[in-house]
Amino acid sequence: MLSVVGLSFVALLLTVGALTLESDRAEYDYFKYHPMDEISSWMVQMEKDHPDVVTVVDYGRTYEKRTISLLKIGLKTEAKKKAVWMDCGIHAREWIAPAFCQYFVRQILHAYKTDDKMAAMLTNMDFYITPVLNIDGYIFSWKDSSTRLWRKNRSPGPSGDCYGVDLNRNFDANWGTVGVSSNCSSNIYCGTGPISEPEAQAVAYFVGSRKEDFLCFLTIHSYGQLLLIPYGHPNFTASNYDELMTVGQGAAEAIWRVHGKKYTVGTSPDVLYANSGSSRDWARMQEIPLTFTFELRDNGTYGFELPEDQIRPTCEEAYSGALHIIAYAHDKTFNGAAAAAAATLWAVLLAAGVSGANLM
Amino acid sequence: MGLRGVIVLVGLMGTTWSFNMTTIRPEAVSTDTFARPETTEETTEQGRNNPGLMTEDRTVHVTALTDTSGGVDSQTTEATVGCFKKGAVAEEEAVEDVMATGELNPSHYPAQRAAKVVQHYLNTRYGSPYKLFGLKQVHSGNAEDVADSGRKYQLDISVHEIISDTKENCSAEVFFPRGVKQLSPQVQVSSCEELLKIDANSEEEALYQQYKTNKTLRTEKRLPDSYGHIDPEMTPFWHLGIVASSFIMLNESTENTLYNVAQVANITQLTTENDQLKFDCHVLLHDMVSQEIPQWKLLFTWSPAGGVKVLHTEQLPHVHDCEKHPKTN
């Protein structure tokens, strides 16, 4: 009699326990677009869930005084670590970009526990990932259907009757020379001076003060299906142009292997348009060797309003591409000669793992 | 396209820039950050040598590549009326001068922009609620100047009919006229016949019959909405909006634009006229080069037999948000 009661009680406890566990662990939906408050909560949750690996770092303020934060992800070691930078959402309307940053975080946190390669990377490097850089702009793009296509930040122009600076024209890299406008109404208005904008300042100060640590700098945008290498100014060529093209093409191939999407690799002036003051160019000028702009899906059919059912495949392919670059950077620094081949092979395997099947 | 080995760097004050947008990248480059020996034209390193040039007193030369030698049309000038400025944003043109000639790199922007124009052309001629063309790939391209009248592109591309998911290779010629007044490009397409024979007749006819008898179709929703979603029942009208927009995108295209439809803001059915379904719509375009969102209103008709015909277009003023956005969180 007592044992039956006891068993029932245990059963009851287990059921309650299971239910509680389930509701606590309602998985964040990485394949829906999230407003800023949900992204902020998610960041806090990531730190809570992985306290030994993830730290939220506040590193600046937006014009409207919101805190700009990143997730620093890495395994703790005594050794001096190198670093990887990734930022998303520098342009407000490119919603697929913040979605990708969140997905990327999820993937590396899943992978390192079982994948030796990822564990090695997180041991040797810290990943600094900013899910939304242009927070004011992003929030504004969520305001209502008329604001959805906002691009810039929200600082007021000189005369107060127009808003916003194109943050990706505001960096101190041939600032104000090409592919910009001096007109505040323009969507490529470069601001009143290089890094006049607090959001750009935040990146410049954080990365600039650690620039020797950074192996790569990836900035995520949409749309166009492009991997852009420095420089945006047509008269400047990076000293490692060949390396950037080779690594970029490797990344494009890794992307293609996932879902067959073609991404074009090249400098902005070659494949898109000339421009100046981009974060990628600035980062390259800080001598961070591997700097890329990702322009994610699509090619114009949906443009900025990429359907949510394309979030997953876009993230999967972009993850494969980003990892190709990161692995290359890592292996070049930590493994030496066989780096390139190993990185390619590993990227293939990881891509296969991600997509589940598509090894062509 | 000849290559000169020598570049002359001249620091000049407020003169035009010339850039040769070569399409073939030289192999090895050893130095970084300095003006590299590009080809043919003189380059003036205005911005680079004179960082102090960017002062409070901003002039058009901020873009530094403004070509004043003709062939460039600034967008319509602005007349400030309170917070609303009439006409398109006055944009300083990006590179406009010596463009690539001869064989083009198919993945570089000159061929890509010309090919996009072919997409718009195909949609104006053959697009329907069930037939929509997208540019798939540029295989090869060639450009040549035509006396002083403009520039002609010859392209081999593959085109994708999105709804039936069929692809075909096409050859096309795009002519961008040059002149004081901006004229529309002219397009000719050949060897694309299979794609254009795609049969969507039964769906088109069914839609036509359904809406012919004055059923008021109004959609408040933006197509697509902010999340990229389109109600399946609205999809044919999204396609129609894109096809109608293609007339505008075709007309407005130059070598310095790359248009896509950002959104069909709304589309309203009006009374059927002459057996043509009639629509009023408001569309948001996206020009990749300027990153602007030009807005247009269109009046157009459609029938399976008649295709899309645009009756009236009107560009809407560039609206600025003047109200202060309060911090909400």
Side-chain angles (χ1 to χ4, degrees):
Chain A
M1 177 75 165
L2 215 62
S3 59
V4 170
V5 171
L7 273 172
S8 308
F9 185 57
V10 169
L12 181 67
L13 276 181
L14 284 171
T15 316
V16 170
L19 283 171
T20 315
L21 222 58
E22 256 169 51
S23 59
D24 279 352
R25 296 175 101 274
E27 166 102 51
Y28 187 78
D29 192 343
Y30 289 88
F31 309 122
K32 288 241 170 308
Y33 295 117
H34 291 273
M36 194 62 216
D37 58 331
E38 290 177 13
I39 297 176
S40 302
S41 307
W42 167 83
M43 291 176 77
V44 170
Q45 191 64 44
M46 285 295 107
E47 188 181 45
K48 270 202 193 105
D49 288 349
H50 307 267
D52 46 346
V53 181
V54 179
T55 314
V56 176
V57 177
D58 298 338
Y59 69 100
R61 291 236 164 195
T62 65
Y63 175 79
E64 289 173 348
K65 299 284 183 278
R66 296 185 176 93
T67 304
I68 307 175
S69 311
L70 56 77
L71 293 176
K72 178 184 174 182
I73 304 176
L75 296 167
K76 292 195 177 28
T77 66
E78 295 302 318
K80 182 92 166 72
K81 300 185 77 173
K82 287 295 187 183
V84 171
W85 175 270
M86 184 183 291
D87 67 74
C88 296
I90 196 174
H91 290 138
R93 58 193 181 195
E94 299 164 12
W95 285 13
I96 185 62
F100 173 65
C101 267
Q102 293 164 70
Y103 175 86
F104 184 87
V105 165
R106 176 188 96 151
Q107 285 306 104
I108 64 177
L109 290 174
H110 277 193
Y112 85 90
K113 290 176 216 157
T114 52
D115 183 86
D116 288 341
K117 179 68 186 194
M118 183 62 78
M121 297 216 297
L122 284 175
T123 305
N124 295 326
M125 305 186 299
D126 287 318
F127 288 66
Y128 294 89
I129 299 166
T130 302
V132 183
L133 178 59
N134 179 10
I135 298 173
D136 296 346
Y138 187 72
I139 290 174
F140 187 67
S141 74
W142 277 78
K143 183 174 170 229
D144 57 54
S145 56
S146 74
T147 61
R148 174 62 177 83
L149 295 172
W150 188 259
R151 168 180 168 90
K152 304 183 287 182
N153 76 350
R154 293 294 298 166
S155 62
S159 43
D161 73 338
C162 66
Y163 278 81
V165 171
D166 184 344
L167 293 173
N168 208 36
R169 302 287 185 278
N170 190 241
F171 283 79
D172 194 2
N174 296 310
W175 180 85
T177 54
V178 62
V180 295
S181 173
S182 57
N183 187 330
C184 170
S185 316
S186 166
N187 260 346
I188 51 175
Y189 172 54
C190 56
T192 51
I195 52 164
S196 58
E197 302 308 298
E199 297 88 353
Q201 285 166 23
V203 175
Y205 295 157
F206 189 89
V207 176
S209 58
R210 300 166 172 76
K211 60 180 188 171
E212 297 81 22
D213 298 343
F214 280 96
L215 299 178
C216 56
F217 183 100
L218 307 179
T219 180
I220 315 296
H221 294 243
S222 75
Y223 59 91
Q225 293 177 208
L226 306 167
L227 298 177
L228 302 171
I229 64 174
Y231 288 100
H233 194 297
N235 274 21
F236 290 75
T237 301
S239 56
N240 64 335
Y241 171 83
D242 288 345
E243 180 185 40
L244 287 163
M245 280 301 286
T246 305
V247 177
Q249 271 150 7
E253 198 182 317
I255 289 173
W256 179 79
R257 271 191 228 107
V258 182
H259 294 300
K261 290 296 183 187
K262 187 170 171 286
Y263 278 57
T264 303
V265 184
T267 65
S268 265
D270 280 347
V271 303
L272 186 60
Y273 47 57
N275 70 333
S276 59
S278 69
S279 62
R280 172 207 65 226
D281 284 358
W282 173 82
R284 184 64 192 85
M285 286 178 170
Q286 306 313 301
E287 294 168 2
I288 298 170
L290 293 154
T291 65
F292 290 84
T293 307
F294 278 56
E295 295 280 356
L296 301 180
R297 288 192 194 184
D298 60 12
N299 263 327
T301 308
Y302 290 93
F304 300 114
E305 301 114 1
L306 192 70
E308 288 180 309
D309 64 12
Q310 287 198 47
I311 296 179
R312 185 198 276 264
T314 306
C315 287
E316 288 171 343
E317 68 202 15
Y319 179 72
S320 191
L323 233 39
H324 177 90
I325 296 166
I326 294 166
Y328 173 88
H330 170 270
D331 292 352
K332 193 181 176 195
T333 311
F334 294 97
N335 286 5
T344 309
L345 177 63
W346 180 73
V348 170
L349 293 172
L350 207 72
V354 162
S355 71
N358 293 340
L359 259 180
M360 309 267 297
Chain B
M1 178 170 67
L3 292 177
R4 282 196 217 151
V6 177
I7 249 279
V8 177
L9 283 182
V10 184
L12 294 175
M13 291 138 296
T15 57
T16 57
W17 287 54
S18 301
F19 271 84
N20 181 14
M21 303 301 290
T22 56
T23 55
I24 298 162
R25 270 276 174 202
E27 285 308 300
V29 181
S30 54
T31 54
D32 193 66
T33 69
F34 303 106
R36 58 182 308 285
E38 265 296 85
T39 56
T40 61
E41 299 301 321
E42 298 177 348
T43 8
T44 59
E45 297 306 315
Q46 192 172 352
R48 200 168 64 84
N49 292 338
N50 300 295
L53 191 68
M54 305 308 141
T55 61
E56 295 299 310
D57 214 24
R58 218 159 292 289
T59 69
V60 154
H61 294 293
V62 156
T63 58
L65 287 175
T66 309
D67 175 24
T68 58
S69 62
V72 174
D73 279 311
S74 280
Q75 295 296 328
T76 55
T77 54
E78 296 171 294
T80 308
V81 180
C83 295
F84 292 82
K85 305 202 178 197
K86 288 211 186 298
V89 171
E91 61 179 55
E92 286 83 359
E93 290 287 339
V95 178
E96 169 63 54
D97 204 46
V98 182
M99 301 282 276
T101 334
E103 192 181 329
L104 302 176
N105 185 320
S107 62
H108 286 190
Y109 78 81
Q112 290 288 329
R113 290 180 194 174
K116 195 61 127 165
V117 176
V118 179
Q119 173 192 311
H120 300 320
Y121 169 81
L122 288 173
N123 279 321
T124 62
R125 294 293 299 270
Y126 306 106
S128 85
Y130 296 98
K131 224 186 273 182
L132 200 62
F133 298 98
L135 171 67
K136 191 76 189 165
Q137 200 176 341
V138 181
H139 299 292
S140 67
N142 202 282
E144 59 185 26
D145 285 315
V146 179
D148 277 324
S149 62
R151 185 191 218 85
K152 185 170 78 173
Y153 288 74
Q154 278 152 335
L155 303 164
D156 280 312
I157 63 178
S158 49
V159 173
H160 183 213
E161 199 288 294
I162 291 167
I163 296 150
S164 62
D165 196 20
T166 29
K167 291 181 207 50
E168 201 192 352
N169 293 338
C170 302
S171 297
E173 243 176 53
V174 181
F175 176 70
F176 290 103
R178 228 173 276 282
V180 176
K181 202 176 98 169
Q182 187 181 307
L183 296 165
S184 310
Q186 292 156 33
V187 182
Q188 278 177 307
V189 174
S190 59
S191 70
C192 223
E193 294 87 27
E194 289 316 304
L195 212 61
L196 307 178
K197 282 191 204 140
I198 290 165
D199 185 359
N201 290 339
S202 49
E203 297 100 320
E204 289 175 11
E205 195 60 37
L207 189 81
Y208 174 68
Q209 292 302 332
Q210 184 186 352
Y211 285 93
K212 187 177 176 188
T213 49
N214 284 358
K215 178 173 168 175
T216 318
L217 158 77
R218 175 165 201 115
T219 174
E220 304 294 324
K221 265 178 149 183
R222 302 195 157 216
L223 308 174
D225 70 12
S226 294
Y227 307 89
H229 176 76
I230 301 172
D231 198 352
E233 205 186 293
M234 291 293 124
T235 305
F237 300 100
W238 176 52
H239 296 153
L240 266 182
I242 294 174
V243 172
S245 301
S246 298
F247 285 82
I248 299 171
M249 296 192 288
L250 177 61
N251 281 356
E252 297 293 307
S253 284
T254 69
E255 291 166 283
N256 295 316
T257 58
L258 185 75
Y259 281 109
N260 289 294
V261 177
Q263 194 180 56
V264 176
N266 77 48
I267 179 163
T268 308
Q269 185 184 8
L270 306 174
T271 313
T272 300
E273 209 172 87
N274 301 327
D275 290 330
Q276 309 292 309
L277 300 188
K278 196 169 174 187
F279 298 92
D280 186 346
C281 75
H282 175 186
V283 298
L284 278 58
L285 307 180
H286 173 235
D287 170 30
M288 185 69 82
V289 180
S290 65
Q291 292 292 349
E292 296 297 337
I293 307 286
Q295 301 195 29
W296 289 78
K297 293 207 76 143
L298 299 99
L299 196 63
F300 69 94
T301 62
W302 173 75
S303 68
V308 171
K309 300 249 183 310
V310 173
L311 304 177
H312 179 72
T313 67
E314 183 192 329
Q315 185 168 10
L316 300 176
H318 185 208
V319 173
H320 303 273
D321 62 323
C322 311
E323 77 282 11
K324 281 212 180 302
H325 173 58
K327 175 188 167 177
T328 55
N329 206 353

